[in-house]
Amino acid sequence: MSDFFGAGKIKYEGAGSDNPLSFKHYDADAVIAGKPMREHLRFALSWWHTMPAEGTDMFGVGTADKSFGGVDGMDVARRRAAAAFELMEKLDVDYFCFHDRDLAPEGETLSETNARLDAISDELETLIKSTGKKVLWGTANCFGHPRYMHGAGTAPNPDAFAFAAAQIKKAIEVTHRLGGEGYVFWGGREGYETLLNTNCGLEQDNMARLMRLEVDYARSIGFAGDFYIEPKPKEPTKHQYDFDAATVIAFLQRYGLDKDFKLNIEANHATLAGHTFQHELRVARETGAFGSIDANQGDALLGWDTDQFPTNVYDATLCMYEVIKAGGFTKGGLNFDAKARRGSFTREDTLLSYIAGMDAFAFGLKAALRLIEDGRLDTFVDERYAGYKSGIGADIVSGKATIFDLERYALALGEVTTNTSGRQEYLESVLNQIILGGI
Ligand code: XUL
Ligand code: CO
């Protein structure tokens, strides 16, 4: 194994440890609620932020050297693959996620690009076999190249649509070949800058056509993984069609794709849509569309996707509460779609960022289990809706009550006198007690 990152394997040392290169909460093989923590959490490394991203922003060039001593494109790509597996080994991260273009640079033609991807896939296949690491999901970068300036599946130019179709077909083949458990569609430029030049109806019809073509092809080659859509309301475009979980679910139902897709919910995308992370997870769970998570956090004061490593234990707890209520992950997992800050440019910063994120979610898992075991929240919610279990409430739920029955009932009632307190502050104090009690 390479030694780019310098530290040994990161070990669990418990909450009292002051060793920064240790886990305080993530004890991968400790069994809680019937399975090891690693199986509850299914952590994944995001190739794009971790391996090639050098910290470039709108105002400055990169600050981190991600060449790993390589000289040209494919040499660097191979070294990054070795470094990624070293990092996963050291952090005990079992999965990774990638875009096709994260793995290998584009060539002059699509055939050359595909050949490069195949060459890197040969190496990845060997690394996967020797380490047991797995692909959580793959995807295609159909937003970075100038050909996709107006979108890919929603491009006004059918040549761009065709190119995207071919690129995604190849990305699905690579994901399948590497044993991927999922495939993500994130609509990087599938939206618009102005309605003045946009045919929204045709664009969305075409996006649905592309998804149907790709899903059918994937199933025809034996890919049995999950397909996900990752909602995001804006950035890079002013308005993205996959705005939020509810919008995506309506889109899937409208085009008859709801049996084929689940959702990959990203925390910072929820914030950009004006929702909490928990809200998006709740919508996914209650519509049976919960699939996977891009675990990161934004900055409440900023209006863009900062993709920070998640350290907010309240959000992590409420996220894991929804995951457990959804029955846990099946093929999905917690992918850290997160990057160290531009000023945190060292390799040790990469290790420390992952440790911080993994510990926050390990803590969140334990706190969410305590919340469920404690039962006060669940009992409160059950009792709040108990009126629907008998009398007029049961008749509403069963559909037995007609509009005339309800009118008769209301007339006889005179006034509603049965409201009780929502007790929000009490419930927030229960949450505090459980979270803080677990330190
Ligand atoms: C961008 C984003 C993507 C997707 C995969 O905001 O989240 O990295 O996760 O394309
Ligand atoms: Co993401």
Side-chain angles (χ1 to χ4, degrees):
M1 194 171 72
S2 61
D3 192 12
F4 292 113
F5 289 88
K9 193 160 173 125
I10 307 300
K11 296 196 183 73
Y12 169 73
E13 291 185 7
S17 170
D18 59 4
N19 173 10
L21 291 170
S22 75
F23 291 117
K24 318 295 179 297
H25 298 283
Y26 184 56
D27 190 1
D29 294 313
V31 175
I32 50 174
K35 56 184 178 184
M37 287 181 94
R38 69 168 78 244
E39 287 178 28
H40 280 285
L41 294 161
R42 292 168 61 92
F43 287 133
L45 167 144
S46 69
W47 203 280
W48 53 103
H49 285 311
T50 313
M51 307 325 298
E54 294 169 338
T56 310
D57 71 10
M58 310 263 269
F59 297 93
V61 298
T63 54
D65 177 3
K66 297 287 183 75
S67 66
F68 296 97
V71 283
D72 65 42
M74 284 303 280
D75 180 30
V76 170
R78 286 196 181 88
R79 285 163 182 266
R80 284 180 182 154
F85 278 76
E86 176 196 328
L87 198 55
M88 286 187 273
E89 284 282 305
K90 288 186 169 165
L91 288 164
D92 222 341
V93 165
D94 294 330
Y95 294 86
F96 65 99
C97 300
F98 64 86
H99 300 81
D100 47 3
R101 303 299 175 251
D102 308 335
L103 300 179
E106 288 213 44
E108 292 296 314
T109 62
L110 185 57
S111 327
E112 192 192 333
T113 302
N114 287 347
R116 288 181 174 186
L117 205 46
D118 286 336
I120 288 293
S121 299
D122 291 344
E123 307 232 348
L124 292 179
E125 209 167 50
T126 310
L127 286 162
I128 285 171
K129 277 203 187 100
S130 64
T131 61
K133 301 296 174 195
K134 290 170 265 188
V135 173
L136 189 69
W137 51 257
T139 188
N141 178 334
C142 291
F143 42 86
H145 193 279
R147 76 175 73 88
Y148 298 126
M149 66 174 75
H150 301 304
T154 64
N157 176 358
D159 285 358
F161 182 101
F163 207 103
Q167 184 182 332
I168 295 168
K169 172 177 176 286
K170 181 70 185 175
I172 288 172
E173 288 163 5
V174 169
T175 304
H176 182 44
R177 172 183 174 191
L178 299 179
E181 298 185 27
Y183 186 88
V184 163
F185 280 79
W186 170 63
R189 290 184 196 274
E190 314 293 20
Y192 61 79
E193 294 297 331
T194 172
L195 288 173
L196 295 177
N197 66 13
T198 305
N199 181 342
C200 293
L202 178 63
E203 290 200 357
Q204 288 179 83
D205 290 352
N206 281 347
M207 192 66 226
R209 288 182 181 111
L210 179 61
M211 287 176 170
R212 169 55 56 216
L213 288 167
E214 301 293 359
V215 169
D216 288 350
Y217 173 68
R219 298 305 182 214
S220 80
I221 60 167
F223 176 70
D226 279 346
F227 278 95
Y228 308 111
I229 297 189
E230 183 179 321
K232 187 177 184 184
K234 57 188 168 188
E235 197 201 27
T237 60
K238 170 193 166 67
H239 175 93
Q240 310 242 141
Y241 293 126
D242 298 337
F243 195 91
D244 61 3
T247 310
V248 169
I249 286 157
F251 171 90
L252 292 172
Q253 288 171 349
R254 176 173 160 202
Y255 291 103
L257 291 163
D258 47 317
K259 301 280 178 297
D260 301 292
F261 281 87
K262 295 178 181 167
L263 298 183
N264 181 45
I265 299 295
E266 177 161 329
N268 203 167
H269 295 180
T271 325
L272 293 180
H275 302 308
T276 60
F277 185 20
Q278 190 188 7
H279 167 94
E280 288 293 82
L281 291 165
R282 179 70 63 91
V283 172
R285 157 159 91 87
E286 295 204 325
T287 48
F290 169 72
S292 202
I293 289 177
D294 269 11
N296 60 18
Q297 68 187 32
D299 184 313
L301 299 178
L302 301 176
W304 64 89
D305 203 8
T306 58
D307 284 336
Q308 293 170 233
F309 271 88
T311 52
N312 182 323
V313 292
Y314 276 79
D315 284 349
T317 301
L318 293 172
C319 165
M320 290 314 298
Y321 176 81
E322 296 299 327
V323 172
I324 296 162
K325 290 278 181 186
F329 291 115
T330 47
K331 291 180 180 172
L334 281 162
N335 166 48
F336 289 108
D337 192 354
K339 57 192 174 201
R341 298 303 81 193
R342 188 165 182 270
S344 306
F345 63 95
T346 69
R347 289 188 186 147
E348 190 186 65
D349 285 317
T350 304
L351 286 169
L352 295 173
S353 308
Y354 271 93
I355 292 169
M358 292 166 76
D359 262 345
F361 271 87
F363 179 92
L365 167 67
K366 289 187 279 186
L369 287 168
R370 287 198 303 275
L371 208 54
I372 290 166
E373 193 189 349
D374 173 87
R376 277 176 285 174
L377 248 56
D378 288 340
T379 306
F380 185 86
V381 174
D382 271 358
E383 286 173 2
R384 192 164 185 233
Y385 296 90
Y388 286 96
K389 289 188 181 137
S390 61
I392 190 72
D395 289 349
I396 291 171
V397 170
S398 69
K400 189 172 155 229
T402 67
I403 189 73
F404 303 106
D405 293 335
L406 291 167
E407 184 186 37
R408 237 183 335 269
Y409 185 87
L411 287 169
L413 206 54
E415 189 45 88
V416 177
T417 56
T418 43
N419 272 326
T420 55
S421 169
R423 304 188 83 191
Q424 178 172 339
E425 297 74 9
Y426 157 71
L427 296 169
E428 286 167 350
S429 78
V430 169
L431 181 61
N432 270 355
Q433 185 192 7
I434 304 256
I435 289 182
L436 299 173
I439 293 171

